[in-house]
Amino acid sequence: MRILSFSGSPAEIGEAFGRQCRAEIPLLYAARLRNAIGQAKLHGGRDVGEEAVLKVARACVEPTRAYHPDGFAELEGIARGAELPLEKILAMNGLTDLRDILAWGGELESLGGCSAFMLGGNVTRTGKLLCGQTWDLATDNMPHVIAVHRRPSHSPQTWTLTTDGCLSLIGLNEAGIAIGTTNIRTTDARPGVTYLSMIHKALAASSLEDAALAISSAPRAGAHFYFLADASGRGLALECTPDHVDATPVEAGVYVHTNHCLVPANQAIESDTPSSSSHARQVRLEALIEADRGRADLDSAKRWLADRESDELGICRLGFNGISSNGAVIMEPQSGTIHVCHGPAHEAAWFDLRAAV
């Protein structure tokens, strides 16, 4: 995995990021554009082109600027450094939200997916909260997966898994705030703030409450599940649509989320029938964790995220329906550790990202 490190103002970080990944960013943008256009045709029956994607991205510009000026300044900096229009950078960052606006219907699994968990200290060997997830998307995104260490001038430094030219995706900050996400789809998708901007703002927070507010107060474009945790061992599960937020504290026990809504109010507006894979991964991950209850640790979590009981339905996937586990992350906020791998966890090398930088 490439590990990039940037410091300075948000604009300076963004511009340096864009310059360093200038060759890779257009390739990732092109791959994500193909994905959005293909989904609109295959699953929504709509013939759209690049201009339709960029029209939605342009409608997200002002909500994003108003929501988090620092995050927006980094996006503008990435665009300058990459020598690309801002709307292309925003479209690349907000793929899953934008394609939900462009296309409805179809099997959820064809759109990617992730498997996430949070464990209270009463379930782990160390007595400390443990959280993590796979990050699954189109296999052609895999060359663009990177780790980024940011040292902003006026907010906590962060360690994240993300992709070329993109804001934070899954990560930990020096205040002990951890965050991750899985994708869900609901019919209230609309132009607004996309999920990476929300995650980026949450990682600028120094408390669990402020990180949660960054998610709940946003004019959200699409639906996502977010898990949050802090250095005191508190966890929070947020299942969000653009119009609804359901918050579940997680300080004990097990919380697992894949790619279907668990909250009844959100299930009522789910945009299509959740895939068999999402339900199978939910059940399988819950069972694996239960088998290790009371002795779960970093090694256990690596084994869960590497589980390939079924190529079609497994937690760790490699190319099924064009979808792969592009990476995985395990975090223990109370000790400030974040372990990451690039690619499917059953064959990838894990490393401690904080130690690596």
Side-chain angles (χ1 to χ4, degrees), residues 134 288 300-309 315-317 328 344-347 350:
T134 61
L288 290 170
S300 305
K302 289 179 179 178
R303 176 165 38 80
W304 306 333
L305 299 183
D307 184 74
R308 298 190 69 207
E309 181 187 43
I315 294 166
C316 180
R317 291 176 290 172
H346 76 288
E347 62 184 13
W350 288 86

Side-chain angles (χ1 to χ4, degrees), residues 154-237:
H154 303 297
S155 58
Q157 63 179 317
T158 64
W159 299 265
T160 65
L161 180 78
T162 187
T163 48
D164 288 315
C166 289
L167 300 179
S168 307
L169 174 65
I170 310 161
L172 175 77
N173 74 13
E174 66 179 319
I177 301 299
I179 187 169
T181 184
T182 72
N183 191 45
I184 53 177
R185 300 183 80 212
T186 57
T187 56
D188 54 350
R190 64 195 177 198
V193 176
T194 59
Y195 71 119
L196 291 193
S197 290
M198 289 185 273
I199 292 170
H200 205 64
K201 185 173 182 178
L203 282 174
S206 296
S207 72
L208 185 68
E209 291 75 16
D210 286 345
L213 186 63
I215 305 298
S216 63
S217 67
R220 296 174 298 280
H224 282 268
F225 165 76
Y226 303 90
F227 65 81
L228 289 161
D230 69 6
S232 70
R234 296 183 299 162
L236 190 63

Side-chain angles (χ1 to χ4, degrees), residues 124-136:
T124 66
R125 180 181 57 79
T126 62
K128 296 177 179 178
L129 182 145
L130 192 68
C131 55
Q133 67 172 101
T134 61
W135 182 63
D136 298 0

Side-chain angles (χ1 to χ4, degrees), residues 21-38:
C21 297
R22 186 177 293 167
E24 293 85 5
I25 289 172
L27 300 176
L28 179 59
Y29 169 75
R32 293 192 162 184
L33 178 65
R34 288 192 301 271
N35 181 278
I37 291 172

